[in-house]
Amino acid sequence: MSAPVIDLRGLSRTFPGTPPVEALRRVDLVVERGEYVSVVGPSGSGKSTLLHILGLLDRPTAGDYLLDGVSTATVSERERSRLRGGRIGFVFQAFHLLPHRTVLDNVLLATLYSGVPRGERRERALAALDRVGLSHRLDFLPTVLSGGERQRVAIARAVIAQPHVLLADEPTGNLDSATSEGVLDLFDELHADGLTLVVITHDAAVSARAQRAVRISDGTLSEVA
């Protein structure tokens, strides 16, 4: 049996202050390879803190985070950057595309930090954009694309390195309902292809698309029946 992609063990994150803010409280979470999990909760529940730790952008105060069975608690920042670039894909609410670079360039830039061999970068970028239905927009700038198209570019950028897990933070937050459905349909297709997804959202309809839902409230996780 292969190790879970994500394995959180008694994980806590406290921010200093008077009084200290306990953003995550003894969180346990296992995400197996190929699972599609949503983490649903209101603003201020700890979703963003959890995302930052899952994405190796922050460290827990206590507990451990195993990525593919490897503890990340004590690894160096260099190693964390390597793991983040090669094993984790990110999709954000605000897209985070470079406005003055073409669609193709935005996806190609992601290969510089993800360990994709130089000779494979263009072919992989073209394949990723074809996968999200944007082969006809290669030379367009993000500023002339619809919100749904920009999110699809962001998804192509996230999957080009064939990550072990895709982390999506409110991926439909800036989209209308019809466009949101298209993005969620694409997530369904990626999941069917074997990709592990963790979608963080406040939207119950988005959460319901996952095969498994976890609720976060006041920094504590619980399974949704």
Side-chain angles (χ1 to χ4, degrees):
M1 293 284 293
S2 60
V5 178
I6 290 170
D7 186 357
L8 306 183
R9 300 179 178 180
L11 189 140
S12 297
R13 179 64 169 102
T14 301
F15 294 96
T18 310
V21 176
E22 197 173 10
L24 294 176
R25 306 180 184 192
R26 297 170 295 283
V27 167
D28 295 312
L29 177 67
V30 173
V31 179
E32 300 289 353
R33 198 169 307 278
E35 272 199 292
Y36 181 178
V37 177
S38 66
V39 180
V40 63
S43 177
S45 60
K47 298 194 308 295
S48 294
T49 301
L50 179 63
L51 175 81
H52 288 158
I53 289 177
L54 291 176
L56 298 177
L57 300 168
D58 191 16
R59 293 179 185 264
T61 308
D64 200 2
Y65 168 23
L66 281 70
L67 178 63
D68 292 326
V70 177
S71 172
T72 64
T74 59
V75 298
S76 68
E77 286 302 320
R78 180 187 293 271
E79 178 64 9
R80 287 165 67 86
S81 294
R82 188 189 69 80
L83 290 170
R84 188 165 56 243
R87 302 195 187 190
I88 302 171
F90 293 93
V91 175
F92 299 100
Q93 177 177 341
F95 317 129
H96 294 315
L97 301 176
L98 297 177
H100 303 300
R101 304 297 291 265
T102 67
V103 164
L104 180 58
D105 283 345
N106 266 280
V107 177
L108 278 170
L109 284 169
T111 66
L112 300 179
Y113 312 103
S114 57
V116 176
R118 183 183 298 273
E120 297 179 17
R121 290 173 183 171
R122 183 178 176 84
E123 180 181 349
R124 296 259 292 260
L126 293 173
L129 285 163
D130 181 61
R131 181 68 186 81
V132 301
L134 286 178
S135 293
H136 60 304
R137 292 284 194 263
L138 301 181
D139 297 322
F140 283 58
L141 296 178
T143 50
V144 301
L145 300 180
S146 69
E149 288 175 326
R150 278 180 277 173
Q151 194 59 294
R152 286 174 177 268
V153 176
I155 293 169
R157 179 186 59 191
V159 302
I160 188 171
Q162 299 173 348
H164 294 199
V165 61
L166 178 67
L167 301 178
D169 182 23
E170 301 285 3
T172 62
N174 284 339
L175 306 177
D176 60 47
S177 57
T179 306
S180 296
E181 284 295 311
V183 169
L184 294 174
D185 287 345
L186 178 57
F187 281 173
D188 288 342
E189 294 170 11
L190 293 170
H191 174 236
D193 289 344
L195 183 61
T196 306
L197 290 96
V198 176
V199 176
I200 294 176
T201 182
H202 71 279
D203 189 330
V206 173
S207 175
R209 295 291 291 263
Q211 67 178 159
R212 173 184 161 211
V214 178
R215 183 173 303 282
I216 186 167
S217 178
D218 296 326
T220 300
L221 283 189
S222 59
E223 294 281 342
V224 176

